Amino acid sequence: GELASQQQINVLNTHGHAEHSLQASHIIIATGSVPAAVSGIPVDQESVVDSTGALAFEQVPEHLVVIGGGVIGLELGSVWHRLGAKVTVLNRGEQFLSKLDGDIGQEAYKLLSKQGLDIRLGSKPLEIKAGKSGVNLKIQTGDTEQTLKADKVLVATGRRPCTERLGVENIGLKLDNNGFILVDDLCRTNIPNIFAIGDVVRGPMLAHKASEEGIAVAETIAGQQGHVNYKTIPWVIYTWPEIAWVGKTEEQLKQEKIEYRIGKFPFKANGRAHAMGATDGFVKILADASNDRILGAHIIGPMASELISEFVVAMEYSASAEDIARIVHAHPTLTEALHEAALAVDRRTIHL
């Protein structure tokens, strides 16, 4: 679709020609995102692929080099590693998963490295040449240059909003400097009857965030009160062990000069985790030092994507760590680790 006016959309065919048009009193833009390109690294979806191509390998590569140590690179890299590939991850920064809570990032680095992922911090590609026999890479780690030989290279350096051929210039729709459509708290653009949601606007590029924005916009158009609480959107990285979090990190609290207390509990002290043979990782709670309100929760361990929901609900209701500590959790379950972490905020852990 292409915006022709504030109330008209031209429907284009695969050749980019308008076949017919639609009239609407309200328009919602939800065009999502596409893999971000890297200058000097041509993606051919054969030897050098993006996240889409990495889902379509016809066989397990012997050696997969992943450029980018973020969410997508780690998820796909760890999947192919579990299927038998040797995986090398080039992480440009010196800190692994720098946007996560520091304790979680360090634990993830330790556990994924222990599994066999070759994670190289402070590394970047200088040159990539694809040939019939594979891909030759020249990389730089710190001040050292070296060469690598790979069967496949995955470029996983993030995603960018998809606004090409949308026709934003036809109607004066405003974008920010990074190409995202500018919206207010209700996802309204600078044109009153046009809304935008999901990856194409500010905020986390998460499917559940986009879905909630879509519902909120529909409610707004219907004359109701739409709402999305961006402070309690859960994040998940689907490696194994899984990583999930909601709210503030310890580093953010320090930067904002908010006094806090920490509660941590390892899965190695949880009976259900032992029964599952999945004892790696821990639960970490950050609570306000003045009123015990939960400010952030971070989990690395089995079923973290499921467990984080308890903390999301708790934070939506402004619960304290003591509230979680005084709720009865079934035994044996992984949720007991959440209970124990809440107890740990007040140094009252039971099973440690």
Side-chain angles (χ1 to χ4, degrees), residues 231-235 244-249 295-298 308 311-312 315:
K231 295 180 180 180
T232 56
I233 294 176
W235 297 66
W245 70 98
V246 61
K248 301 285 188 179
T249 66
L295 302 174
H298 309 267
I308 198 63
F311 289 127
V312 174
M315 290 178 65

PDB file of all heavy atoms in Angstrom, residues 231-235 244-249 295-298 308 311-312 315:
ATOM      1  N   LYS A 231       6.346   0.804  30.415  1.00  0.00           N
ATOM      2  CA  LYS A 231       7.272   0.498  31.510  1.00  0.00           C
ATOM      3  C   LYS A 231       7.198  -0.963  31.945  1.00  0.00           C
ATOM      4  O   LYS A 231       8.097  -1.446  32.632  1.00  0.00           O
ATOM      5  CB  LYS A 231       6.982   1.406  32.700  1.00  0.00           C
ATOM      6  CG  LYS A 231       7.251   2.880  32.433  1.00  0.00           C
ATOM      7  CD  LYS A 231       6.950   3.719  33.663  1.00  0.00           C
ATOM      8  CE  LYS A 231       7.220   5.196  33.400  1.00  0.00           C
ATOM      9  NZ  LYS A 231       6.925   6.045  34.580  1.00  0.00           N
ATOM     10  N   THR A 232       6.143  -1.656  31.554  1.00  0.00           N
ATOM     11  CA  THR A 232       6.003  -3.053  31.983  1.00  0.00           C
ATOM     12  C   THR A 232       5.899  -4.013  30.801  1.00  0.00           C
ATOM     13  O   THR A 232       5.266  -5.063  30.899  1.00  0.00           O
ATOM     14  CB  THR A 232       4.769  -3.217  32.898  1.00  0.00           C
ATOM     15  OG1 THR A 232       3.603  -2.739  32.214  1.00  0.00           O
ATOM     16  CG2 THR A 232       4.945  -2.465  34.204  1.00  0.00           C
ATOM     17  N   ILE A 233       6.505  -3.665  29.698  1.00  0.00           N
ATOM     18  CA  ILE A 233       6.555  -4.591  28.562  1.00  0.00           C
ATOM     19  C   ILE A 233       7.678  -5.596  28.798  1.00  0.00           C
ATOM     20  O   ILE A 233       8.831  -5.210  28.998  1.00  0.00           O
ATOM     21  CB  ILE A 233       6.793  -3.842  27.244  1.00  0.00           C
ATOM     22  CG1 ILE A 233       5.590  -2.949  26.914  1.00  0.00           C
ATOM     23  CG2 ILE A 233       7.049  -4.825  26.095  1.00  0.00           C
ATOM     24  CD1 ILE A 233       5.773  -2.100  25.677  1.00  0.00           C
ATOM     25  N   PRO A 234       7.385  -6.890  28.809  1.00  0.00           N
ATOM     26  CA  PRO A 234       8.439  -7.885  29.024  1.00  0.00           C
ATOM     27  C   PRO A 234       9.275  -8.108  27.767  1.00  0.00           C
ATOM     28  O   PRO A 234       8.762  -8.047  26.650  1.00  0.00           O
ATOM     29  CB  PRO A 234       7.649  -9.153  29.377  1.00  0.00           C
ATOM     30  CG  PRO A 234       6.327  -8.976  28.677  1.00  0.00           C
ATOM     31  CD  PRO A 234       6.042  -7.495  28.678  1.00  0.00           C
ATOM     32  N   TRP A 235      10.549  -8.341  27.986  1.00  0.00           N
ATOM     33  CA  TRP A 235      11.492  -8.663  26.915  1.00  0.00           C
ATOM     34  C   TRP A 235      11.931 -10.118  27.073  1.00  0.00           C
ATOM     35  O   TRP A 235      12.076 -10.602  28.199  1.00  0.00           O
ATOM     36  CB  TRP A 235      12.723  -7.774  26.988  1.00  0.00           C
ATOM     37  CG  TRP A 235      12.503  -6.316  26.801  1.00  0.00           C
ATOM     38  CD1 TRP A 235      11.823  -5.474  27.623  1.00  0.00           C
ATOM     39  CD2 TRP A 235      12.985  -5.511  25.721  1.00  0.00           C
ATOM     40  NE1 TRP A 235      11.842  -4.190  27.134  1.00  0.00           N
ATOM     41  CE2 TRP A 235      12.560  -4.185  25.964  1.00  0.00           C
ATOM     42  CE3 TRP A 235      13.747  -5.774  24.583  1.00  0.00           C
ATOM     43  CZ2 TRP A 235      12.869  -3.135  25.111  1.00  0.00           C
ATOM     44  CZ3 TRP A 235      14.049  -4.723  23.726  1.00  0.00           C
ATOM     45  CH2 TRP A 235      13.613  -3.435  23.987  1.00  0.00           C
ATOM     46  N   ALA A 244      14.789 -13.263  30.224  1.00  0.00           N
ATOM     47  CA  ALA A 244      13.603 -12.406  30.195  1.00  0.00           C
ATOM     48  C   ALA A 244      13.736 -11.333  31.266  1.00  0.00           C
ATOM     49  O   ALA A 244      14.328 -11.556  32.319  1.00  0.00           O
ATOM     50  CB  ALA A 244      12.336 -13.227  30.421  1.00  0.00           C
ATOM     51  N   TRP A 245      13.180 -10.172  30.985  1.00  0.00           N
ATOM     52  CA  TRP A 245      13.243  -9.097  31.968  1.00  0.00           C
ATOM     53  C   TRP A 245      12.124  -8.097  31.753  1.00  0.00           C
ATOM     54  O   TRP A 245      11.505  -8.033  30.698  1.00  0.00           O
ATOM     55  CB  TRP A 245      14.601  -8.407  31.926  1.00  0.00           C
ATOM     56  CG  TRP A 245      14.898  -7.581  30.715  1.00  0.00           C
ATOM     57  CD1 TRP A 245      14.782  -6.226  30.585  1.00  0.00           C
ATOM     58  CD2 TRP A 245      15.374  -8.054  29.434  1.00  0.00           C
ATOM     59  NE1 TRP A 245      15.160  -5.828  29.316  1.00  0.00           N
ATOM     60  CE2 TRP A 245      15.530  -6.922  28.600  1.00  0.00           C
ATOM     61  CE3 TRP A 245      15.694  -9.318  28.934  1.00  0.00           C
ATOM     62  CZ2 TRP A 245      15.975  -7.028  27.286  1.00  0.00           C
ATOM     63  CZ3 TRP A 245      16.133  -9.430  27.618  1.00  0.00           C
ATOM     64  CH2 TRP A 245      16.274  -8.293  26.816  1.00  0.00           C
ATOM     65  N   VAL A 246      11.887  -7.310  32.798  1.00  0.00           N
ATOM     66  CA  VAL A 246      10.900  -6.234  32.737  1.00  0.00           C
ATOM     67  C   VAL A 246      11.364  -5.128  33.677  1.00  0.00           C
ATOM     68  O   VAL A 246      11.940  -5.394  34.729  1.00  0.00           O
ATOM     69  CB  VAL A 246       9.485  -6.737  33.128  1.00  0.00           C
ATOM     70  CG1 VAL A 246       9.453  -7.263  34.560  1.00  0.00           C
ATOM     71  CG2 VAL A 246       8.434  -5.644  32.943  1.00  0.00           C
ATOM     72  N   GLY A 247      11.149  -3.887  33.283  1.00  0.00           N
ATOM     73  CA  GLY A 247      11.512  -2.764  34.136  1.00  0.00           C
ATOM     74  C   GLY A 247      12.969  -2.366  34.054  1.00  0.00           C
ATOM     75  O   GLY A 247      13.655  -2.629  33.067  1.00  0.00           O
ATOM     76  N   LYS A 248      13.450  -1.743  35.118  1.00  0.00           N
ATOM     77  CA  LYS A 248      14.787  -1.147  35.144  1.00  0.00           C
ATOM     78  C   LYS A 248      15.886  -2.179  35.388  1.00  0.00           C
ATOM     79  O   LYS A 248      15.686  -3.191  36.052  1.00  0.00           O
ATOM     80  CB  LYS A 248      14.858  -0.096  36.256  1.00  0.00           C
ATOM     81  CG  LYS A 248      13.866   1.045  36.137  1.00  0.00           C
ATOM     82  CD  LYS A 248      14.269   2.024  35.053  1.00  0.00           C
ATOM     83  CE  LYS A 248      13.379   3.265  35.089  1.00  0.00           C
ATOM     84  NZ  LYS A 248      13.765   4.252  34.058  1.00  0.00           N
ATOM     85  N   THR A 249      17.071  -1.870  34.839  1.00  0.00           N
ATOM     86  CA  THR A 249      18.272  -2.640  35.168  1.00  0.00           C
ATOM     87  C   THR A 249      18.966  -1.972  36.351  1.00  0.00           C
ATOM     88  O   THR A 249      18.679  -0.815  36.705  1.00  0.00           O
ATOM     89  CB  THR A 249      19.248  -2.683  33.982  1.00  0.00           C
ATOM     90  OG1 THR A 249      19.740  -1.348  33.735  1.00  0.00           O
ATOM     91  CG2 THR A 249      18.558  -3.209  32.729  1.00  0.00           C
ATOM     92  N   LEU A 295      11.002  -2.509  40.994  1.00  0.00           N
ATOM     93  CA  LEU A 295      11.404  -1.599  39.927  1.00  0.00           C
ATOM     94  C   LEU A 295      11.870  -2.340  38.676  1.00  0.00           C
ATOM     95  O   LEU A 295      11.825  -1.792  37.579  1.00  0.00           O
ATOM     96  CB  LEU A 295      12.521  -0.683  40.415  1.00  0.00           C
ATOM     97  CG  LEU A 295      12.203   0.181  41.638  1.00  0.00           C
ATOM     98  CD1 LEU A 295      13.451   0.924  42.097  1.00  0.00           C
ATOM     99  CD2 LEU A 295      11.084   1.147  41.329  1.00  0.00           C
ATOM    100  N   GLY A 296      12.322  -3.571  38.849  1.00  0.00           N
ATOM    101  CA  GLY A 296      12.794  -4.372  37.726  1.00  0.00           C
ATOM    102  C   GLY A 296      12.957  -5.818  38.148  1.00  0.00           C
ATOM    103  O   GLY A 296      13.185  -6.108  39.328  1.00  0.00           O
ATOM    104  N   ALA A 297      12.816  -6.727  37.197  1.00  0.00           N
ATOM    105  CA  ALA A 297      13.005  -8.149  37.459  1.00  0.00           C
ATOM    106  C   ALA A 297      13.699  -8.774  36.258  1.00  0.00           C
ATOM    107  O   ALA A 297      13.355  -8.472  35.107  1.00  0.00           O
ATOM    108  CB  ALA A 297      11.666  -8.833  37.718  1.00  0.00           C
ATOM    109  N   HIS A 298      14.659  -9.637  36.529  1.00  0.00           N
ATOM    110  CA  HIS A 298      15.507 -10.198  35.481  1.00  0.00           C
ATOM    111  C   HIS A 298      15.716 -11.688  35.737  1.00  0.00           C
ATOM    112  O   HIS A 298      16.044 -12.085  36.849  1.00  0.00           O
ATOM    113  CB  HIS A 298      16.848  -9.462  35.450  1.00  0.00           C
ATOM    114  CG  HIS A 298      16.696  -7.972  35.388  1.00  0.00           C
ATOM    115  ND1 HIS A 298      16.676  -7.283  34.197  1.00  0.00           N
ATOM    116  CD2 HIS A 298      16.500  -7.043  36.364  1.00  0.00           C
ATOM    117  CE1 HIS A 298      16.495  -5.990  34.438  1.00  0.00           C
ATOM    118  NE2 HIS A 298      16.377  -5.822  35.755  1.00  0.00           N
ATOM    119  N   ILE A 308       8.458 -14.630  33.660  1.00  0.00           N
ATOM    120  CA  ILE A 308       8.507 -13.176  33.780  1.00  0.00           C
ATOM    121  C   ILE A 308       7.116 -12.567  33.944  1.00  0.00           C
ATOM    122  O   ILE A 308       6.974 -11.457  34.502  1.00  0.00           O
ATOM    123  CB  ILE A 308       9.226 -12.553  32.551  1.00  0.00           C
ATOM    124  CG1 ILE A 308       9.688 -11.114  32.861  1.00  0.00           C
ATOM    125  CG2 ILE A 308       8.361 -12.617  31.317  1.00  0.00           C
ATOM    126  CD1 ILE A 308      10.703 -11.004  33.951  1.00  0.00           C
ATOM    127  N   PHE A 311       6.070 -11.172  37.351  1.00  0.00           N
ATOM    128  CA  PHE A 311       6.625  -9.871  37.687  1.00  0.00           C
ATOM    129  C   PHE A 311       5.936  -8.745  36.909  1.00  0.00           C
ATOM    130  O   PHE A 311       5.789  -7.630  37.415  1.00  0.00           O
ATOM    131  CB  PHE A 311       8.127  -9.844  37.434  1.00  0.00           C
ATOM    132  CG  PHE A 311       8.917 -10.667  38.415  1.00  0.00           C
ATOM    133  CD1 PHE A 311       9.817 -11.630  37.971  1.00  0.00           C
ATOM    134  CD2 PHE A 311       8.767 -10.482  39.776  1.00  0.00           C
ATOM    135  CE1 PHE A 311      10.544 -12.379  38.866  1.00  0.00           C
ATOM    136  CE2 PHE A 311       9.490 -11.225  40.689  1.00  0.00           C
ATOM    137  CZ  PHE A 311      10.378 -12.183  40.241  1.00  0.00           C
ATOM    138  N   VAL A 312       5.529  -9.024  35.670  1.00  0.00           N
ATOM    139  CA  VAL A 312       4.808  -8.019  34.889  1.00  0.00           C
ATOM    140  C   VAL A 312       3.504  -7.660  35.589  1.00  0.00           C
ATOM    141  O   VAL A 312       3.173  -6.475  35.759  1.00  0.00           O
ATOM    142  CB  VAL A 312       4.526  -8.521  33.459  1.00  0.00           C
ATOM    143  CG1 VAL A 312       3.647  -7.532  32.701  1.00  0.00           C
ATOM    144  CG2 VAL A 312       5.833  -8.742  32.705  1.00  0.00           C
ATOM    145  N   MET A 315       4.245  -5.651  38.796  1.00  0.00           N
ATOM    146  CA  MET A 315       4.613  -4.259  38.551  1.00  0.00           C
ATOM    147  C   MET A 315       3.424  -3.433  38.061  1.00  0.00           C
ATOM    148  O   MET A 315       3.323  -2.243  38.350  1.00  0.00           O
ATOM    149  CB  MET A 315       5.774  -4.197  37.568  1.00  0.00           C
ATOM    150  CG  MET A 315       7.086  -4.707  38.158  1.00  0.00           C
ATOM    151  SD  MET A 315       8.466  -4.690  36.981  1.00  0.00           S
ATOM    152  CE  MET A 315       8.628  -2.928  36.689  1.00  0.00           C
TER     153      MET A 315
END
